[in-house]
Amino acid sequence: MITIKNLHAKIEDKEILKGLNLEVKAGEVHAIMGPNGAGKSTLASVLAGREDYEVTAGSVDLEGEDLLELSTEQRAWAGLFLAFQYPVEIPGVSNINFLRTAINETREQKGLDPISAKEFMAMVREKSALVELDAKLASRSVNEGFSGGEKKRNEIFQMAMLAPKLSILDETDSGLDIDALRIVANGVNKLKSEKNATIVITHYQRLLDYIVPDFVHVLFDGKIVKTGGKELALQLEEKGYDWIKEEIAQ
Amino acid sequence: MTELTKNNINFKSDLQPTTITVSEHDKQKALAVLQNTPLPTTRVEAWKYTRVAKLGKIDFVNNSATIDNISSYVIDDTNCSFVFINGHFSKEHSSQKIPAGVSITLLSEVNSPLEASSLKLEGEVFNAMNTAHLTGGLQIDIAPNALIETPVQIIHILKGDNILANFKTIVNAEKSAQAEIIQGFFSESGEHNFCNSTSEINVAENAVLRIDKIQYESEKSFHISTEQVQQDKNSNFRINTFTLNGGLVRNNLNIDVNGQNCETHLNGAYLLKNKQHVDNHSVVDHKVAHCESHELYKGVIDDNSTAVFNGKVFVRPDAQKINAFQSNGNVLLSDSATINSKPELEIYADDVKCSHGSTTGQLDEEAIFYLRARGLSEKSARHLMVSAFIGDVLDKITNENIKTYTHRLLNDRFGWEF
């Protein structure tokens, strides 16, 4: 699905990613954990094409396409989805209207006709139910006046609508109460298939009780320094990151 | 060459004399003002950000012109439509099926002199010029208690070069009448054309009057409008001004709220690009108690264009229990775009609820990134943000035909679909 090789990226002359390697195959769920400032959100931003970051070396291949050569929207059309750590409030822009435009622009790229209004509305009903997002909320201005939990559910709702190949969830669980966390995780699990893949960036092992990863990676100082199974997350929760730092120092 | 004054607007010798007689008092006063008042400079506070010196350098003519097809200027497919080309009435393009309860008179066909004007002439060169050299105009009288469902549409088209069209609209909405007027200002062709329009609007007791105004002249044209509105008690007046094209546009909107329990709504949208200059000046004068006014103006300013907003609200000493709200928002799409925004409240009463605010910003880049990350092209994302910003003003248009027409103009000029 995605192959990241020796990725280096900086922001305002500060190097954040320092040779990151990662491979995610279709059908897999990967969790990326790591202390604050390790570069987790930078990785998400670089993959989504945020222009503040400059890639200085390395390559990212998404199903045969050179991801780094694509604009942000082209990456979305290629099947990449980023669930934002801080979803943006956009007053005056209707959530479903913009989603319909997004879906239709994606379809246009693939030479498909625009989705019919009926088909679209049926999809909105089905996918909003998936994350228990009130249909009224789905049609309001994007994230405006939404609670934290509603914003994150809206991210997963949009993910469900866009049906991406690779989803990156950037701290989607942070700040959620357990009910909201269950709803979000449940949505992600239902969307999981043999054809798509998910990268979950998180601080907390708790999320991984609900979204069970195939691999857990530790990101530290701009590199992936350790990879294991889901038990690695439990170890990190229990012991913190110091033992990993010591391991690297040796 | 007939010169009005050395500092003022010039007319070529083939100037056609006006056929409209204004009151003798107004005429003398207007001529005197033209004799002794130069064009305003930026040293005059009301014209601080708008230069009109260019107008003094053009040798204007005021001849009529013909246009084969005006269908692209028809905003609403109403049967009551009055078309003026260069300020002259065009009978062939007008469809004068006037609804019952309305009487419309061409000022050029009035035999007696017009009644004294409510326009301020002293120090006001453009009002004086309009009064002394009126090209054309019409008077709309709406009978007491008449409920007019068909909007009255007035279409102005400029064609030729160096055209000066001095136009006057008089509207009398009598007691408990209700009506809607649409005004469109367009440009067929030519350079240095100047539409100098004045309106005297009387909204009598308990009357409801709504005006939708679309300005879509060319980037090479000049336009100055002055609306003088008088509101009597229990009346409701609403004016929406949409400026979508025009080289230099200045709108003066003066509303005297003379009676209690009135409602006043002023909405405006201005969208500028290239080197356009659009200036909206409004004054709402609350003279008596228990009234409310709402003003919402929004602008999108691109390239090297400049917009000016100056909104003044007076609340006079006896005008207690006034609710007056004013808001001006601007989005600058380029580094060379300029906005000068000045909301002003002058309150002399102590029991009122008033607010004003002005915001200027750029499109939220984080929001644009968010939309693009979901698969909107950058162009669609920016367009969506602009339409979201300006949308609440455009939503003030309730007539669906005008809405559709406005959206078409926005698409023609900016490539934006709404």
Side-chain angles (χ1 to χ4, degrees):
Chain A
M1 178 72 66
I2 193 167
T3 309
I4 304 172
K5 281 186 188 157
N6 190 33
L7 189 63
H8 289 253
K10 63 177 188 178
I11 183 165
E12 290 169 357
D13 290 333
K14 187 168 187 253
E15 191 170 43
I16 312 269
L17 298 183
K18 301 171 181 173
L20 186 139
N21 296 293
L22 179 68
E23 180 163 13
V24 177
K25 294 197 174 73
E28 292 178 347
V29 175
H30 289 238
I32 296 180
M33 302 182 75
N36 283 331
K40 300 189 299 294
S41 283
T42 298
L43 175 64
S45 294
V46 168
L47 293 179
R50 196 186 279 277
E51 280 160 12
D52 305 339
Y53 294 89
E54 191 191 336
V55 174
T56 49
S59 68
V60 180
D61 176 295
L62 180 73
E63 294 211 310
E65 279 201 80
D66 180 356
L67 194 77
L68 300 177
E69 284 299 306
L70 303 179
S71 67
T72 295
E73 55 268 36
Q74 286 169 329
R75 295 177 196 206
W77 299 334
L80 182 84
F81 179 89
L82 170 65
F84 280 51
Q85 183 178 1
Y86 306 110
V88 186
E89 294 191 16
I90 316 179
V93 172
S94 137
N95 211 33
I96 56 167
N97 280 355
F98 114 76
L99 263 177
R100 181 157 54 197
T101 312
I103 287 171
N104 282 338
E105 289 201 26
T106 308
R107 290 173 69 96
E108 196 185 332
Q109 295 301 317
K110 294 176 180 154
L112 297 171
D113 286 337
I115 188 168
S116 76
K118 196 177 160 196
E119 206 183 330
F120 179 76
M121 286 319 294
M123 203 164 133
V124 168
R125 273 194 296 276
E126 183 201 337
K127 305 300 184 189
S128 57
L130 192 72
V131 284
E132 300 173 33
L133 189 70
D134 190 331
K136 276 189 215 126
L137 225 52
S139 56
R140 278 213 328 233
S141 284
V142 180
N143 294 323
E144 193 185 24
F146 286 30
S147 69
E150 286 166 344
K151 283 180 185 171
K152 296 300 174 82
R153 270 146 64 189
N154 190 26
E155 292 295 279
I156 306 306
F157 163 64
Q158 293 181 37
M159 175 176 142
M161 291 293 288
L162 295 164
K165 287 180 193 158
L166 176 67
S167 303
I168 303 164
L169 311 184
D170 188 4
E171 303 207 11
T172 300
D173 57 321
S174 298
L176 292 189
D177 63 48
I178 198 73
D179 291 332
L181 183 70
R182 274 198 200 113
I183 293 169
V184 164
N186 187 35
V188 173
N189 288 332
K190 281 190 180 155
L191 295 169
K192 198 181 146 186
S193 81
E194 285 307 306
K195 288 179 182 165
N196 62 24
T198 311
I199 297 175
V200 182
I201 294 172
T202 184
H203 262 299
Y204 308 107
Q205 184 276 332
R206 190 181 65 163
L207 173 69
L208 305 179
D209 287 341
Y210 298 94
I211 302 175
V212 181
D214 299 296
F215 298 95
V216 173
H217 307 277
V218 178
L219 181 58
F220 178 73
D221 195 24
K223 280 186 238 180
I224 285 178
V225 293
K226 195 169 182 67
T227 295
K230 62 178 177 183
E231 68 289 345
L232 177 58
L234 287 168
Q235 256 180 304
L236 293 169
E237 182 80 6
E238 204 179 304
K239 303 202 279 182
Y241 291 97
D242 288 346
W243 63 281
I244 291 193
K245 290 179 197 170
E246 282 162 23
E247 245 183 50
I248 300 162
Q250 281 164 16
Chain B
M1 187 182 288
T2 323
E3 268 188 27
L4 292 180
T5 72
K6 283 203 174 54
N7 298 318
N8 262 320
I9 302 236
N10 304 311
F11 282 122
K12 273 191 172 167
S13 50
D14 57 356
L15 165 78
Q16 300 173 29
T18 176
T19 58
I20 302 171
T21 351
V22 298
S23 80
E24 192 56 30
H25 171 266
D26 286 352
K27 176 140 197 164
Q28 291 312 322
K29 191 159 185 188
L31 288 172
V33 168
L34 287 174
Q35 285 300 324
N36 59 33
T37 316
L39 281 176
T41 67
T42 52
R43 289 187 296 278
V44 178
E45 182 62 25
W47 295 88
K48 193 171 175 186
Y49 301 107
T50 300
R51 290 178 185 280
V52 290
K54 279 175 276 197
L55 287 169
K57 297 186 181 117
I58 301 163
D59 290 330
F60 283 110
V61 295
N62 64 350
N63 45 306
S64 56
T66 54
I67 294 172
D68 291 340
N69 188 343
I70 62 141
S71 58
S72 63
Y73 307 123
V74 177
I75 300 166
D76 191 356
D77 204 8
T78 159
N79 284 323
C80 181
S81 188
F82 287 74
V83 178
F84 293 83
I85 300 170
N86 295 346
H88 300 272
F89 180 59
S90 164
K91 193 170 183 184
E92 63 161 319
H93 291 305
S94 300
S95 51
Q96 306 172 55
K97 289 191 181 134
I98 299 166
V102 183
S103 119
I104 300 180
T105 320
L106 293 167
L107 298 188
S108 53
E109 291 176 357
V110 177
N111 294 322
S112 52
L114 302 183
E115 282 177 36
S117 162
S118 61
L119 283 179
K120 187 182 171 212
L121 295 173
E122 191 59 48
E124 299 289 341
V125 173
F126 299 108
N127 286 351
M129 189 173 67
N130 181 279
T131 303
H133 298 276
L134 211 45
T135 317
L138 81 178
Q139 177 163 343
I140 304 170
D141 293 295
I142 301 140
N145 297 313
L147 169 63
I148 313 300
E149 311 260 9
T150 311
V152 175
Q153 179 173 236
I154 311 164
I155 298 169
H156 300 270
I157 309 164
L158 294 171
K159 185 188 175 186
D161 292 315
N162 306 340
I163 299 291
L164 170 64
N166 284 312
F167 194 85
K168 182 185 280 294
T169 312
I170 300 169
V171 181
N172 293 312
E174 303 280 359
K175 189 174 171 184
S176 302
Q178 182 170 339
E180 182 187 348
I181 294 169
I182 304 167
Q183 274 185 302
F185 294 90
F186 303 95
S187 187
E188 169 93 355
S189 63
E191 293 188 5
H192 304 137
N193 295 326
F194 176 23
C195 177
N196 182 31
S197 166
T198 63
S199 299
E200 293 172 39
I201 296 159
N202 295 301
V203 191
E205 180 182 344
N206 204 38
V208 179
L209 182 68
R210 173 183 191 105
I211 298 178
D212 285 302
K213 202 169 142 181
I214 294 178
Q215 296 174 311
Y216 197 79
E217 285 157 337
S218 86
E219 289 183 15
K220 290 173 178 166
S221 66
F222 306 95
H223 181 107
I224 296 178
S225 273
T226 300
E227 263 106 11
Q228 194 67 49
V229 183
Q230 307 290 335
Q231 271 191 269
D232 204 346
K233 64 184 173 192
N234 304 322
S235 68
N236 185 318
F237 175 69
R238 178 184 293 264
I239 183 162
N240 298 326
T241 308
F242 300 106
T243 310
L244 309 179
N245 199 352
L248 173 86
V249 178
R250 164 70 176 243
N251 295 318
N252 301 306
L253 183 50
N254 303 317
I255 302 175
D256 290 336
V257 187
N258 302 319
Q260 294 199 2
N261 194 34
C262 285
E263 228 182 271
T264 312
H265 298 267
L266 306 73
N267 302 300
Y270 42 95
L271 295 95
L272 292 73
K273 61 178 182 177
N274 300 327
K275 290 182 174 173
Q276 275 188 266
H277 183 105
V278 174
D279 178 348
N280 280 292
H281 264 64
S282 65
V283 179
V284 178
D285 194 346
H286 284 292
K287 297 181 176 179
V288 294
H290 299 289
C291 292
E292 59 180 272
S293 63
H294 300 263
E295 180 166 16
L296 174 66
Y297 271 70
K298 281 191 169 184
V300 179
I301 306 146
D302 201 355
D303 302 324
N304 293 302
S305 60
T306 303
V308 181
F309 173 83
N310 185 298
K312 206 174 234 181
V313 176
F314 288 105
V315 181
R316 301 294 176 185
D318 294 333
Q320 302 294 358
K321 305 281 182 193
I322 294 290
N323 289 343
F325 306 105
Q326 186 192 65
S327 155
N328 174 233
N330 298 284
V331 164
L332 300 174
L333 295 184
S334 105
D335 290 341
S336 351
T338 308
I339 169 73
N340 295 292
S341 175
K342 191 177 177 191
E344 293 178 83
L345 285 176
E346 282 192 29
I347 302 171
Y348 302 99
D350 51 18
D351 185 11
V352 300
K353 207 191 275 176
C354 297
S355 73
H356 65 170
S358 169
T359 59
T360 295
Q362 284 156 336
L363 292 183
D364 180 352
E365 290 298 326
E366 181 64 16
I368 288 167
F369 176 69
Y370 184 85
L371 296 172
R372 291 175 68 195
R374 297 294 187 254
L376 260 72
S377 65
E378 181 168 5
K379 188 172 171 254
S380 312
R382 289 188 182 279
H383 158 244
L384 199 59
M385 295 295 291
V386 168
S387 51
F389 172 74
I390 208 90
D392 54 350
V393 188
L394 295 179
D395 284 346
K396 303 285 183 185
I397 314 176
T398 47
N399 179 325
E400 284 301 319
N401 292 337
I402 304 177
K403 196 175 260 184
T404 307
Y405 188 84
T406 309
H407 289 180
R408 199 188 90 204
L409 292 186
L410 285 168
N411 194 11
D412 284 354
R413 182 151 167 82
F414 301 97
W416 295 334
E417 285 175 35
F418 284 81

